[in-house]
């Protein structure tokens, strides 16, 4: 063997410390971590959520993201996941299975509805749904064995608002059910459910937290005890947040307040303009005075109501298609909370996961268009839609 040993060099470089102090956090893009001795290894392997053992258990870059979201939500701790659905699945299966009962509002992101209605029962979880504005129906659905309450506010697709404080108070009076709120649409800039009495906040970080349509992620925020309880089950599901995606999400979080501020103003301006249009039968946006729960929304959502609105084209399915096909600013695309305006036709998008009766029950009119505003000028976004409406 010569002195030049490229194999050992390639295997060993970079293992040392650096004394550089970066302004932007580094990415710990490492699947595993080494320990100096047996005691340190044992500690890292056995302590819950350790960030120096193996990235499925915990990772320093992912932890920075978790701690940042926990701070934004006013919670003690957070656990990140590979998507919003992974976060929801982690909560449901770690808190409610088996034999547990879940009470969920009926208007939810369609993937969560499918998870609760079709998948959760296979794991011994029973689920009852209630209409999100009907607090009495919620109270009546609670059972002694209710382990989890699933809320989303504002909710897909009609931006209905749930009275989080009242629901949480009823749940507390009933027993130990964990009240989880999907805060994806509101963002922690506009709404902090833990401050209203909820126990757990869920985000699809894919949306506004990431903010740049370039990552998939999810996160749960709550007390340290609750997050540890979830971690003990959910880390075995393996749906972890990748360190690079966590780093991108951290970069997104730097500008979250500015982005949400602009989204709030733009969505309200576009909603107000669409509301005045004769071919638009209804506009759903909690920031509008015409929203059926505007007073609750004004109290719960401050300083604004977020980027997502929906509106009904007066003449139904084909008319909504005409409008969508003519758009030149908003892309026909799922998701929201990005720099670019994104529009979808829910009746078409959710046809695969909801039958017609469920679509109607969820308020999905055939002519409903969901719009997530981006950073374009509000007049440009509204003008684009009005050009489509003029074709009807
Ligand atoms: C409100 C809401 N919650 C949860 C999810 C699921 O998140 P993900 O797509 O990151 O799994 C979505 C996705 O569209 C959503 O809109």
């Amino acid at each position: 063997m010569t002195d030049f040993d490229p194999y050992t060099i390639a295997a060993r470089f970079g293992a040392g410390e650096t004394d550089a102090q970066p302004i932007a956090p580094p990415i710990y893009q490492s699947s595993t971590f080494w320990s100096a001795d047996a005691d340190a290894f044992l500690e890292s392997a056995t302590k819950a959520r350790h960030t120096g053992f193996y990235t499925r258990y915990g990772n320093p870059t992912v932890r920075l993201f978790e701690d940042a979201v926990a701070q934004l939500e006013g919670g003690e701790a957070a656990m990140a996941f590979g998507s919003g659905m992974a976060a929801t699945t982690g909560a449901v299966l770690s808190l409610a299975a088996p034999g547990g009962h879940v009470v969920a509002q009926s208007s939810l992101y369609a993937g969560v509805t499918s998870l609760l209605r079709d998948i959760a029962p296979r794991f011994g979880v029973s689920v009852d749904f209630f209409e999100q504005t009907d607090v009495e129906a919620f109270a009546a659905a609670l059972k002694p064995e209710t382990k989890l309450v699933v809320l989303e506010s504002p909710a897909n697709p009609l931006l209905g608002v749930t009275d989080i404080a009242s629901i949480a108070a009823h749940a507390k009076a009933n027993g130990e059910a964990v009240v989880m709120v999907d805060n994806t649409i509101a963002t922690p800039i506009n709404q902090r459910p833990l401050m209203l009495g909820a126990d757990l906040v869920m985000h699809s970080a894919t949306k506004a937290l990431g903010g740049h349509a370039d990552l998939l992620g999810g996160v749960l925020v709550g007390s340290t005890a609750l997050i540890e309880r979830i971690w003990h089950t959910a880390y075995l599901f393996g749906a972890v947040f990748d360190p690079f995606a966590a780093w991108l999400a951290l970069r997104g979080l730097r500008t979250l307040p500015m982005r949400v501020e602009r989204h709030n103003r733009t969505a309200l301006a576009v909603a107000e303009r669409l509301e005045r249009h004769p071919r638009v039968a209804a506009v759903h946006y909690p920031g509008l005075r015409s929203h059926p729960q505007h007073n609750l929304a004004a109290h719960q959502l401050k300083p604004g109501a977020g980027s997502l609105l929906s509106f009904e084209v007066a003449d139904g399915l084909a008319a909504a298609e005409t409008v969508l096909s003519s758009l030149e600013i908003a892309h026909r695309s799922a998701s929201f909370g990005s720099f670019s305006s994104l529009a979808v036709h829910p009746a078409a998008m959710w046809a695969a996961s909801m039958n017609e009766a469920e679509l109607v029950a969820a308020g999905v009119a055939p002519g409903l268009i969901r719009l997530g505003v981006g950073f374009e000028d509000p007049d440009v976004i509204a003008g684009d839609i009005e050009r489509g409406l003029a074709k009807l």
Side-chain angles (χ1 to χ4, degrees), residues 83-86 88 109 112 152 156 182 184-185 202 204-207 216-218 335-336 370:
S83 69
M85 283 309 300
T88 304
Y109 168 62
V112 176
E152 179 179 312
N156 272 294
D182 183 336
T184 303
I185 295 174
M202 197 288 286
S204 165
T206 314
K207 312 296 183 319
L216 279 178
S335 206
F336 56 90
R370 193 188 78 175

Side-chain angles (χ1 to χ4, degrees), residues 62 65-66 69 78-89 182 184 201-207 209-210 215-221 239-242 245-246 249:
V62 176
F65 170 75
E66 291 168 336
V69 181
M79 178 173 181
F81 294 81
S83 69
M85 283 309 300
T88 304
T89 307
D182 183 336
T184 303
V201 166
M202 197 288 286
H203 279 279
S204 165
T206 314
K207 312 296 183 319
L209 297 190
L215 64 90
L216 279 178
V219 62
L220 296 172
V221 187
V240 294
F241 204 23
D242 181 73

Side-chain angles (χ1 to χ4, degrees), residues 126-145:
S126 63
V127 184
D128 283 311
F129 292 96
F130 74 101
E131 204 284 310
Q132 75 182 118
T133 60
D134 193 344
V135 178
E136 278 173 25
F138 167 75
L142 286 169
K143 295 179 181 174
E145 65 271 25

